[in-house]
Amino acid sequence: QEHLVESGGGSVQPGGSLRLSCKASGSAYRRNYMGWFRQAPGKGREGVASIYTGGASPYYAGSVKGRFTISQDSGEHTVYLQMNNLEPEDTAIYYCAAGGSLLIQSTYTYWGQGTQVTVAS
């Protein structure tokens, strides 16, 4: 059973935009944080943004603040990541996660399979 289903990755030129979606099912959606993490080639996985499903303010990594926006549709159990002004350094596999806290990876229980985002000319 897939608890998190991601969609929306792809290829875009620098300065472009993409929107990622993550739909949670079953026990994956609870009163806790849902977030996005990413792993670039040859690097470790890092936190990007998270949001409390109960409606608290979102958290962002410094590298994406002002360019990325995380939001949610609680009725659809779905979290979105709107990515604007994309840079080549944003190229990575993006993972949705649920059941955790803030951007602390070790606290997250559920992980999606990942979606590729490539930013190149």
Side-chain angles (χ1 to χ4, degrees), residues 12-15 88 91 118-121:
V12 66
Q13 292 186 340
T91 295
T118 301
V119 185
S121 300

Side-chain angles (χ1 to χ4, degrees), residues 7-120:
S7 61
S11 296
V12 66
Q13 292 186 340
S17 299
L18 284 172
R19 189 175 82 152
L20 306 182
S21 300
C22 175
K23 185 173 178 64
S25 61
S27 56
Y29 191 83
R30 62 178 75 174
R31 290 281 178 167
N32 215 319
Y33 283 83
M34 287 186 67
W36 290 95
F37 295 79
R38 68 185 182 185
Q39 187 166 18
K43 295 187 177 181
R45 191 162 55 188
E46 63 174 0
V48 175
S50 67
I51 190 166
Y52 184 62
T53 58
S57 297
Y59 286 83
Y60 296 97
S63 59
V64 306
K65 196 172 293 185
R67 300 188 298 122
F68 291 11
T69 302
I70 189 169
S71 61
Q72 63 180 321
D73 182 335
S74 57
E76 293 294 323
H77 293 184
T78 299
V79 170
Y80 304 97
L81 185 68
Q82 177 67 43
M83 304 184 293
N84 297 329
N85 195 20
L86 282 160
E87 303 169 352
E89 293 73 23
D90 297 316
T91 295
I93 299 173
Y94 284 70
Y95 297 91
C96 177
S101 179
L102 304 176
L103 288 177
I104 305 170
Q105 290 191 51
S106 60
T107 65
Y108 280 81
T109 304
Y110 301 97
W111 291 85
Q113 293 190 343
T115 185
Q116 178 70 47
V117 171
T118 301
V119 185

